[in-house]
Amino acid sequence: MEDIIIGVVALAVVLLFFLYRKPNAKRYKLPPGPLGLPVIGNLHQLQNLNPQRFFYGWAKKYGPIFSYKIGCKTMVVISSAELAKELLKTQDVNFADRPQHRGHEVISYGRRDMALNHYTPYYREIRKMGMNHLFSPTRVATFKHVREEEARRMMVKIGKAAERSEPVDISELMLTFTNSVVCRQAFGKKYNEDGEEMKRFINILYGTQSVMGKIFFSDFFPFTGYVFDDLTNLTAYMKECFERQDTYLQEIIDETLDPNKIKPETESMIDLLMQIYKDQPFASEFTIDNVKAVILNIVVAGTDTAAAAVVWGMTYLMKYPQVMKKAQAEVRDYVIEKGLTFITEDDVKNLPYFRALVKETLRIEPVIPLLVPRACIQDTKIAGYDIPAGTTVNVNAWAVSRDEKYWGPNPDEFRPERFLEKDVDFKGTDYEFIPFGSGRRMCPGMRLGAAMLEVPYANLLLNYNFKLPNGMKPEDINMDVMTGLAMHKSEHLKLVPEKVNIK
Ligand code: HEM
């Protein structure tokens, strides 16, 4: 079906392409890349499955900077630490924009959010407010009890499965954990995990995330693309997802505005945004739509990322049992020495091997492997090649963290010791390791994201050993990713827990 659509798009657009082609258009020396077809460019060659690995293959062939085309748009991919630094540090301002995307435009209320906003004065104000308030160390600490409570709840479920020697779905458990934490942090709402309200929230979130990950014809084929968006029902799907999302967010806002509302234990993020709405501290108006757009960033970015990271971590630990043993030994020795039954956020700083394990997990599978795409604001050059204004640029963080110059000859080996041997962190200044990005658009939720993944991850190593179900071997684990902004393991990870007695 997709092939037919592409064929029809090609035919319909070809005429317009030649009609509207400017004879004296500026000639650029673009980065090398695969030859494409007229009109559709390289669309037919792209693979949806594991795009970061696919682009890594192209980087091996065409170099650490390559370009390709989709329709009328030039796309560039960077795959080395040096060029990542050039883009995210030296030329950061020029690449601080986000590319055109019809779905992003609609879902984010016309880009009133932070993550998808163009690089505007409003963006800079909202980002500054985010760094000082929404994601400040103090605010991250206010929700510490929420994360720990939900992690304990998750461990109880694993305990029950261990008693029955049944497999647990680690992917599902982690998503429930992050959904519950995010609802409490963002809205001050404690849903019953298996209740209808939680199911509704998850469904809405799924719709929003899927619209964000879709390719819209109209972004690449400006003359006829809208017709194909309509014919393939993409427009209708986008509108339906947006309406469900908007109804839900409006209900949350109405509750927040309700004078009879019971004050939550901790001020949630939406309370803070509503205060900004009342105070109007920015140069441009901060409307209810702005509140919805910003809170949506927090929800979307907070649920998927931490869950995906822990699932990848547990997957690699099943494949590398000696790493699993070492990490378990550190965590278990620590609780014995301190007389504890649970690892808290404060304990994590005393677990150097575990902290190296977290970094190695984010190195080997950065959960947003292609970062969030940037758009070039004005014509520039990188590595001697022209990058025209408007070009979409992806940094392949997955490839960068396999750059042999920095990571040695076996970058695919899962070895936390790397981070004990050299002092490299994910704070955005070591360009060979950028799971949270770097520069002006670097993840503002880094601290919160790390806190959300550390406690469940550490406690998974504490009281249980894990086996693969049904005689499955580690080499049988499917390592494919589910394409989206945050890339999950496509098959859920199911493991059988066995209680261990730690004395
Ligand atoms: C393990 C967890 C997380 C990872 C790996 C992660 C990673 C990233 C990455 C790679 C980017 C793009 C950076 C760039 O363009 O250079 C990003 C952006 C962003 N992240 Fe995160 N993130 C995580 C958790 C969170 C959390 C918990 C929140 C908020 C609650 C959050 C909020 C955001 C926002 C708002 C942006 C857009 C920033 C901008 O455009 O200015 N992230 N994140």
Side-chain angles (χ1 to χ4, degrees), residues 384-495:
Y385 297 109
D386 291 322
I387 314 290
T391 303
T392 299
V393 184
N394 274 105
V395 176
N396 189 348
W398 192 92
V400 167
S401 60
R402 278 164 175 73
D403 191 333
E404 291 184 13
K405 201 168 149 194
Y406 293 89
W407 298 107
N410 299 313
D412 284 320
E413 188 190 353
F414 186 63
R415 203 172 63 83
E417 286 77 3
R418 296 172 194 279
F419 289 95
L420 299 174
E421 290 156 10
K422 64 179 197 169
D423 187 17
V424 175
D425 211 335
F426 47 59
K427 291 183 183 146
T429 46
D430 298 316
Y431 293 87
E432 67 271 38
F433 180 49
I434 42 172
F436 292 96
S438 171
R440 280 176 170 72
R441 300 226 60 152
M442 185 181 169
C443 177
M446 180 186 73
R447 242 182 252 106
L448 186 59
M452 281 178 70
L453 72 88
E454 281 168 355
V455 170
Y457 199 177
N459 284 287
L460 278 170
L461 304 173
L462 182 58
N463 288 317
Y464 304 95
N465 290 337
F466 290 95
K467 277 193 321 203
L468 287 164
N470 311 323
M472 197 176 160
K473 296 194 181 66
E475 55 273 24
D476 300 333
I477 304 178
N478 181 340
M479 300 298 277
D480 283 342
V481 302
M482 191 166 76
T483 311
L485 201 57
M487 301 224 191
H488 287 269
K489 193 174 156 323
S490 65
E491 256 176 37
H492 278 204
L493 177 71
K494 293 184 183 157
L495 300 175

Side-chain angles (χ1 to χ4, degrees), residues 132-162:
N132 292 340
H133 300 288
L134 280 177
F135 308 115
S136 69
T138 325
R139 187 150 305 259
V140 173
T142 0
F143 298 114
K144 184 170 162 287
H145 69 287
V146 169
R147 296 183 290 269
E148 290 179 358
E149 225 175 279
E150 296 296 338
R152 282 180 199 274
R153 213 163 356 160
M154 174 171 139
M155 297 321 295
V156 170
K157 286 188 203 161
I158 296 183
K160 286 186 183 150

Side-chain angles (χ1 to χ4, degrees), residues 144-410:
K144 184 170 162 287
H145 69 287
V146 169
R147 296 183 290 269
E148 290 179 358
E149 225 175 279
E150 296 296 338
R152 282 180 199 274
R153 213 163 356 160
M154 174 171 139
M155 297 321 295
V156 170
K157 286 188 203 161
I158 296 183
K160 286 186 183 150
E163 278 167 22
R164 297 192 294 262
S165 304
E166 275 176 2
V168 279
D169 186 332
I170 302 283
S171 309
E172 179 107 30
L173 281 183
M174 272 311 299
L175 276 171
T176 307
F177 165 82
T178 49
N179 282 328
S180 305
V181 170
V182 162
C183 284
R184 290 177 70 181
Q185 290 179 158
F187 310 133
K189 272 189 167 293
K190 209 169 171 177
Y191 289 135
N192 171 358
E193 281 171 13
D194 307 313
E196 286 308 308
E197 272 306 290
M198 190 55 144
K199 280 192 197 137
R200 179 179 171 221
F201 168 77
I202 292 170
N203 259 330
I204 290 167
L205 192 63
Y206 175 80
T208 300
Q209 283 165 339
S210 83
V211 171
M212 289 172 86
K214 296 249 182 268
I215 293 185
F216 284 79
F217 292 100
S218 47
D219 290 328
F220 300 99
F221 305 100
F223 303 121
T224 53
Y226 281 96
V227 178
F228 286 95
D229 285 351
D230 290 355
L231 284 178
T232 53
N233 269 338
L234 212 52
T235 308
Y237 179 70
M238 173 187 74
K239 285 185 179 158
E240 186 197 319
C241 291
F242 173 73
E243 266 153 36
R244 283 193 295 150
Q245 162 199 308
D246 189 51
T247 309
Y248 177 77
L249 291 176
Q250 188 58 51
E251 283 169 20
I252 299 272
I253 286 181
D254 291 343
E255 281 175 32
T256 314
L257 290 172
D258 181 355
N260 301 320
K261 181 192 157 196
I262 303 161
K263 234 179 147 13
E265 33 171 0
T266 316
E267 188 191 42
S268 65
M269 289 173 167
I270 199 143
D271 292 323
L272 180 89
L273 291 170
M274 289 306 287
Q275 196 54 48
I276 294 173
Y277 167 69
K278 283 175 197 150
D279 297 347
Q280 292 293 330
F282 302 141
S284 56
E285 196 189 356
F286 193 74
T287 65
I288 288 290
D289 278 354
N290 292 55
V291 174
K292 290 176 185 168
V294 176
I295 203 74
L296 196 71
N297 278 174
I298 293 166
V299 171
V300 171
T303 43
D304 254 19
T305 44
V310 174
V311 171
W312 281 119
M314 290 302 289
T315 305
Y316 276 90
L317 287 173
M318 295 311 292
K319 284 181 162 287
Y320 288 81
Q322 74 286 8
V323 179
M324 174 77 103
K325 278 207 180 82
K326 222 167 152 177
Q328 285 171 330
E330 184 190 56
V331 169
R332 290 170 188 176
D333 289 349
Y334 177 80
V335 294
I336 294 169
E337 191 195 320
K338 301 278 175 193
L340 304 171
T341 54
F342 183 81
I343 302 283
T344 65
E345 285 182 12
D346 296 333
D347 295 319
V348 170
K349 62 177 179 305
N350 301 320
L351 300 170
Y353 192 76
F354 174 71
R355 280 190 295 131
L357 170 68
V358 169
K359 288 182 185 172
E360 180 65 346
T361 303
L362 291 170
R363 182 194 71 84
I364 205 146
E365 293 296 344
V367 290
I368 307 189
L370 297 170
L371 305 186
V372 181
R374 308 283 184 114
C376 178
I377 293 172
Q378 56 180 347
D379 284 7
T380 185
K381 276 188 188 292
I382 290 193
Y385 297 109
D386 291 322
I387 314 290
T391 303
T392 299
V393 184
N394 274 105
V395 176
N396 189 348
W398 192 92
V400 167
S401 60
R402 278 164 175 73
D403 191 333
E404 291 184 13
K405 201 168 149 194
Y406 293 89
W407 298 107
N410 299 313

